[in-house]
Amino acid sequence: MRPFVENFPFFCIFLALVAGILSATFRSGRAAYRMTLAVTGAIAVLSALTLRYVVEGGLSFGYTMGRFPIPLGNAIRCGPLQALLCTVFAGVLLFALVGGSRDLFHDVLPEKQRFYFVMVNLTDAALLSLVYTNDAFTGYVFIEISTIAACALVMAKDNGPNLIATIRYLFMSLMGSGLFLIGLAILTSITGYLLMPSMAEAVARLAETGEYRVPLTVCAGLMVTGLGIKSAMFPFHLWLPDAHGGATTASSALLSGLVLKGYIVLMMTLMVRVFSMELMVELGVTNVVLLFGLLGMIFGSLGAMREYHVKRMLAYSSVAQIGYIFMGIGLGSAAGLVASCFHILVHACCKPLLFCCAGRLSAVSGHHRSLKNLRGSAYRDIAAGVGFTVGSLSMIGIPLFGGFVSKLYFASASLPTNRTAVTLLTIALSTVLNALYYIPALLSIWMRPDPADERAVLADATPEMLAFDRPFTAAAAVFTASIFILGIFYHPITDIIEAGIRLI
């Protein structure tokens, strides 16, 4: 009989789905919010217990759902990497909702608030499923669930620009889903399976014999491209700034910090567990991923430099940071995957912190969002100013912050390859570009404005906006501490990631 703890990954997905259903039955958005926080906290605890179990045992385990045996049934798989990611994702979701709660209840109409939390819980269930799934078609199902829920999170702030951004987001996401499904259909037709282990055995036999070489290349390319579109890989990123920059603060934090990562984790799982990195390198898929990652690092930063709207600047920054992750995957090595997974954790903590702080700095400035009108806003909420500073310095790559360790691991991973020079130069150039838009933003929020300008900005601020926001301050403190933990006590975390990749 299996240890009871091995049921926890399924319980986490089930809890999130049930919470989504129950949220619609509440009359009050506040009640749905409190239940969502409780369920998300429970998922974080269950994921942490699972993490402890798999790390102490040095193992990964499968969990078959239903009575159909392998290879016909549906299954999930959990190892150190999956448990670590789900623990961090649950914690980030919890504190992103806490940190953006004031804006959330301000931006979303009262009669729609309970439905907002339906979509939050569905997003959580989809994210967990994309990390844990051991079945390729189940991955596709939750890709679609995540797409619908994410579009609703963007659209929750009901105005014209957000509706346009949602339609653009939906169009691009459906294009990505379609490409992934076509690739999956081709792969299933030549392997005969949907469960990843059985599919991997068939792919290995085909790679050894040389059969179906072109179809294998086509389906791998389609699936990677589809997931790349959904995760804002350059040059498929143009939907992201409007969607993430215009949404309410909690939605921006969740979309940038978490939703994009679910697709990337599924991509890495397919590349390692089904195709193998050796085959992906041989087929040339990693070369394309590396190229788009390097270009994304540069062009995402250039887009951010042109922005004066603080949330759109952060959205373009996400394109650059996603580029780092794809660069690590494109290196085609275990070290590159370790660097990418660590950067997923860093970005999952940094970007919600930055969006929550940007939302708070905007609120104490009369909901102005241009950097010019945010001058001196850090003095009106010190916690938001400090949090924005910590997140910015981490994204630049200053030592003692999580972002520095990520870049160090990326540079180290590039050394054994034949792409060392171009990778290191791009990392250096991207770091400079990161500084060129984050430092002016920091100078702006810490620079005291002229008294007349400050009075004009504060004329639009109500006492409620200026009042101390205790939930935000607590969330910002947790995110800030986690960035320092990732930047200083990173060795145990990378050890878990390395073990998880070996057992993936």
Side-chain angles (χ1 to χ4, degrees), residues 8 12 15 36-52 83-95 124 128 132:
F8 287 177
C12 290
L15 277 174
T36 299
L37 292 185
V39 169
T40 306
I43 290 172
V45 171
L46 291 176
S47 299
L49 292 173
T50 307
L51 175 62
R52 179 182 176 184
L84 174 64
L85 290 172
C86 287
T87 301
V88 173
F89 289 171
V92 169
L93 175 60
L94 175 67
F95 288 103
D124 191 15
L128 294 169
Y132 281 132

Side-chain angles (χ1 to χ4, degrees), residues 107-357:
D107 293 336
V108 182
L109 296 174
E111 61 270 21
K112 295 183 178 180
Q113 288 170 3
R114 58 189 176 130
F115 299 113
Y116 179 88
F117 294 107
V118 172
M119 297 304 165
V120 168
N121 284 294
L122 286 179
T123 300
D124 191 15
L127 187 64
L128 294 169
S129 299
L130 291 174
V131 174
Y132 281 132
T133 187
N134 203 25
D135 178 90
F137 188 75
T138 300
Y140 168 73
V141 170
F142 280 97
I143 283 173
E144 297 291 41
I145 292 173
S146 178
T147 297
I148 295 169
C151 286
L153 294 181
V154 175
M155 196 169 55
K157 188 177 179 180
D158 195 2
N159 57 38
N162 268 21
L163 293 177
I164 295 171
T166 302
I167 292 171
R168 184 181 292 117
Y169 182 17
L170 181 61
F171 177 79
M172 292 298 294
S173 290
L174 291 178
M175 183 183 295
S177 301
L179 292 175
F180 179 85
L181 182 59
I182 293 169
L184 179 59
I186 296 172
L187 186 60
T188 302
S189 68
I190 61 178
T191 62
Y193 301 108
L194 286 171
L195 281 180
M196 293 183 190
S198 302
M199 194 179 279
E201 292 176 6
V203 168
R205 286 196 299 270
L206 293 173
E208 185 178 350
T209 61
E211 294 181 87
Y212 296 107
R213 193 70 169 185
V214 173
L216 268 180
T217 306
V218 170
C219 68
L222 287 173
M223 295 170 78
V224 169
T225 302
L227 292 171
I229 291 173
K230 299 183 74 66
S231 53
M233 174 195 283
F234 179 89
F236 313 112
H237 66 285
L238 296 178
W239 56 266
L240 186 143
D242 290 335
H244 291 195
T248 190
T249 298
S251 294
S252 298
L254 296 179
L255 293 167
S256 183
L258 297 181
V259 173
L260 298 178
K261 311 305 190 308
Y263 306 127
I264 297 174
V265 172
L266 179 60
M267 180 193 295
M268 288 194 295
T269 302
L270 290 169
M271 292 175 78
V272 176
R273 190 180 295 168
V274 174
F275 292 98
S276 81
M277 289 305 295
E278 292 79 9
L279 180 60
M280 298 302 279
V281 171
E282 189 178 337
L283 296 177
V285 175
T286 53
N287 292 334
V288 178
V289 174
L290 176 65
L291 175 62
F292 286 164
L294 295 173
L295 291 174
M297 291 162 60
I298 302 303
F299 284 95
S301 295
L302 291 175
M305 289 174 62
R306 293 193 298 266
E307 284 294 336
Y308 297 98
H309 184 293
V310 64
K311 290 182 72 175
R312 284 179 61 86
M313 182 198 79
L314 295 176
Y316 271 110
S317 171
S318 291
V319 176
Q321 300 305 318
I322 293 298
Y324 277 93
I325 297 171
F326 283 122
M327 176 192 68
I329 296 172
L331 292 174
S333 64
L337 292 175
V338 170
S340 291
C341 290
F342 188 82
H343 197 63
I344 286 174
L345 300 181
V346 171
H347 191 256
C349 294
C350 285
K351 201 47 67 84
L353 173 63
L354 286 166
F355 271 114
C356 287
C357 290

